[in-house]
Amino acid sequence: MKPVIARTREELAAARARIEGTLAFVPTMGALHEGHLSLMRQARGSADAVAVSIFVNPLQFGPGEDFDRYPRTFDADVEACAGEGVDLIFAPTREVMYPDEPQVTLKSGPMGEVVEGAARPGHFDGMLTVVLKLLNLVRPDVAVFGEKDAQQLAMIRRMVADLNVPVRIMGGRTVREPDGLALSSRNRYLSAAERGTALALSRALRAGADAAAEGPDAVLDAARTVLDKAAAADPPLALDYLVLVDAATFTPAAAGGPAVLAVAGRVGATHLIDNVHLQLGKEH
């Protein structure tokens, strides 16, 4: 059975009122892939019903970023949701989400100005604003976000805690291609040669994780060795950042304990991110 598709706030409210029991929610920007589907399966195991949103949020794209060319595959997305037993799809237009130019938005604070936030100023302000709007409209009991966007997940958890939003946030593990490349809607932009270079991101993370027992410096040195080779490749990888941070705060990681090794770079015109969780001072 196909999911109910709500395109307006009124249609969403009516569909939400018909849902009995608990509701799990997976916000997306569409162009769904196996990573998204894994989040839907996790949502299905966490609640009685599942809702998915499909909305390419203009607030989280900066000048010169890929908002206009971001892939939009709505019909295929609906079929994918149906295959996972999704009950409700909220697919608003920009006018539905932002009927007027927003005057009051969320500020991500210092946590949103580092790492990915430093590379994309204002990105997390727009992301948090739309996520809060979606949570208020859908009113789920549980919301599931991918761990591939580790900083996004950490910031959403912080927002929910700071603003007392009544929803439980769950993280879903990163899904990878057989060659190690983290699944992303942007991967379809890559040529065969660019994809070969992009594999350096996951290889660098594996090299860093393998050095976790030796401490932070060894982790970063091992990852940089891989990335330096990719910077000299054809086509090259333009590194945006490589950081080792605390998973909850995205401040520099302590010498021992849990951490996230996060990397981002551009291959051609495509911006890609990836990360791995590790335990400093212990073998990965």
Side-chain angles (χ1 to χ4, degrees):
M1 190 172 73
K2 285 197 172 183
V4 173
I5 299 175
R7 295 186 177 274
T8 68
R9 298 185 185 200
E10 294 76 15
E11 291 173 353
L12 174 62
R16 178 67 180 90
R18 292 192 294 269
I19 291 175
E20 298 180 355
T22 55
L23 178 65
F25 177 43
V26 181
T28 83
M29 293 205 299
L32 302 180
H33 51 65
E34 180 59 30
H36 297 110
L37 304 188
S38 72
L39 300 181
M40 295 176 203
R41 292 178 203 127
Q42 185 171 341
R44 172 60 64 194
S46 305
D48 299 310
V50 176
V52 169
S53 63
I54 298 174
F55 177 64
V56 184
N57 177 38
L59 293 193
Q60 64 195 73
F61 289 79
E65 292 190 340
D66 58 349
F67 175 76
D68 288 333
R69 74 178 186 125
Y70 194 87
R72 291 156 170 89
T73 57
F74 185 73
D75 290 342
D77 293 344
V78 171
E79 291 299 320
C81 288
E84 296 301 329
V86 169
D87 301 277
L88 170 62
I89 295 174
F90 181 42
T93 62
R94 179 172 183 162
E95 290 70 28
V96 168
M97 287 301 294
Y98 305 111
D100 300 300
E101 188 66 25
Q103 299 297 308
V104 178
T105 59
L106 289 186
K107 184 70 175 174
S108 58
M111 190 175 171
E113 298 170 356
V114 298
V115 191
E116 185 74 2
R120 302 176 67 190
H123 167 72
F124 287 118
D125 296 349
M127 180 276 294
L128 290 175
T129 296
V130 79
V131 168
L132 184 58
K133 286 170 72 71
L134 287 168
L135 293 177
N136 285 335
L137 289 166
V138 177
R139 295 180 290 111
D141 300 282
V142 179
V144 188
F145 296 85
E147 291 180 352
K148 185 178 79 70
D149 296 292
Q151 190 173 6
Q152 170 179 281
L153 177 57
M155 297 203 65
I156 290 169
R157 284 179 165 148
R158 188 74 223 188
M159 175 190 73
V160 164
D162 287 349
L163 301 182
N164 303 112
V165 183
V167 62
R168 180 163 62 100
I169 302 299
M170 298 178 65
R173 295 183 65 178
T174 300
V175 178
R176 299 182 179 277
E177 300 278 10
D179 58 12
L181 186 67
L183 288 180
S184 169
S185 299
R186 290 185 168 95
N187 288 353
R188 67 189 69 196
Y189 298 157
L190 298 169
S191 68
E194 289 171 341
R195 184 187 173 89
T197 295
L199 292 175
L201 296 174
S202 58
R203 287 201 300 265
L205 295 178
R206 287 198 301 273
D210 287 344
E214 302 171 45
D217 290 344
V219 169
L220 292 169
D221 287 346
R224 283 195 192 100
T225 298
V226 176
L227 295 170
D228 286 347
K229 291 180 181 178
D234 182 22
L237 170 71
L239 184 66
D240 286 330
Y241 58 78
L242 172 71
V243 295
L244 188 62
V245 294
D246 179 274
T249 64
F250 268 67
T251 56
V260 171
L261 180 63
V263 66
R266 294 182 184 274
V267 184
T270 305
H271 175 73
L272 298 170
I273 65 173
D274 203 351
N275 69 82
V276 65
H277 288 253
L278 48 82
Q279 192 83 10
L280 291 170
K282 295 185 179 180
E283 289 189 8
H284 181 66

